[in-house]
Amino acid sequence: MSESAGPPDDSDDSAADGSGSGAEAGPGPAPAPADGHRRRWLRWTALGASFFVLVAAGVGWWLYRKLDGNIRTDVSAAAELKAYERERPVSVVHDAENILLIGSDSRAGENRAYGRDDGGSQRSDTTILLHLAADRKSATAMSLPRDLMVDVPVCHTADGKATKKQFAQFNWAFELGGTACTVRTVEKLTGIRIDHHMVVDFNGFKDMVDAVDGVEVCLKKPVNDTDAHLKLPAGRQTLDGEQALGYVRARKSIGNGSDTERMDRQQQFLGALVNKVQSNGVLLNPTRLYPVLDAATKALTTDPGLDSLKDLYELVRGMRDVPTDKVQFLTVPRQPYAANRNRDELVQPDADRLFKRLRKDDPVVVVPADQLQGGADRDRDDDEKNNRKKNGSTGSPEASGPSPTPTYSGNNAAADLCEQ
């Protein structure tokens, strides 16, 4: 006899909604297919992003290694300088840096197009002592004439032979003993400790100019110089690397033909190059910075303290905030050498006064030559007044005040060459 049906219990309710065991699935909502598709898409996106991050990191590392590997290290110069460490001057101001920039006129390799290679010899075509102030608010680049008569110390040739100490023109030091001999000659001449050095060759200079899309100059007269591979019209124009090299090296076809005038032109061009780099935001734009770094690192041979991309970056980072009007260029006070008018000698005490200011990281002011108005003479008079004061002499009321900052003939990177 069957049991009578009673009211449904809780288990019946569970079966009715499909949650009970053994019950068939009811018509409730099923997971949307789009959810699974979205999860798969997110996984692939994450994998793709990770892949591109790895690729970017790999490319970045490869580019870093490439640029870093471009730089050549002058280990022989480092060894020579270490051997003569006791003779070298000591640094006076912490954090100030003095870097010797040497433009080599070697005709070896790709540079054969610019002259005869006489057995691989080379001389320093351009030498600039770059002083970076300790506060990095100014930079002063002082050119040293290649024909300046100086005391060249005992140095060693590439095959290890010792040269004799001699009084000779400055660029002989590079030919006789390379970079180390040039550094030691400059240190003996100025009393300034050279912290680093860089040697730049012709083709490297050309590539750097091309990397910034040329540099603007202004010519008062047309130029046609077959020796310098240069033919230019008068007026404002942008020079590419090949033209720029001819422009800074030309001597007889531009201006009065003197090496001093050529150094002035080199300084003006370097100022325009610095201005171009800063004004175009090259230092803050990776796509524009890379070709500049590639050209620069290929052009450089440095001491071990600057032979990595990291070292050069730290140097550039310290300079990038220097206002262009505080990037100054000047030539050491010089005059024709008394014994040979085709050579130069220092003007004293003006030259020693300039060396002392750079050595002590004291400010130096430069102005165009037509604005100088006998500044060097005034500086000499001021020093004489101060000496009288120290010695207890009675001088004019002005003698009791501080000596003004010496002013030298030169220019800065903010100057427009076509407005001078």
Side-chain angles (χ1 to χ4, degrees), residues 253-271:
S253 61
I254 304 179
N256 59 18
S258 68
D259 197 44
T260 299
E261 195 278 343
R262 188 180 70 141
M263 285 186 295
D264 291 343
R265 188 167 65 253
Q266 291 172 347
Q267 294 165 9
Q268 292 169 357
F269 186 88
L270 289 175

Side-chain angles (χ1 to χ4, degrees), residues 3-24:
E3 296 180 357
S4 59
D9 57 18
D10 292 340
S11 62
D12 293 331
D13 290 337
S14 300
D17 63 12
S19 61
S21 60
E24 295 181 359

Side-chain angles (χ1 to χ4, degrees), residues 36 52 70 88 93 97 158 164 172 206 294 367 369 378 407:
F52 282 113
N70 286 343
R88 302 180 64 194
V93 179
E97 283 193 287
K164 63 179 181 180
W172 282 25
K206 288 195 311 179
D294 188 42
V367 297
R378 290 198 307 273
T407 302

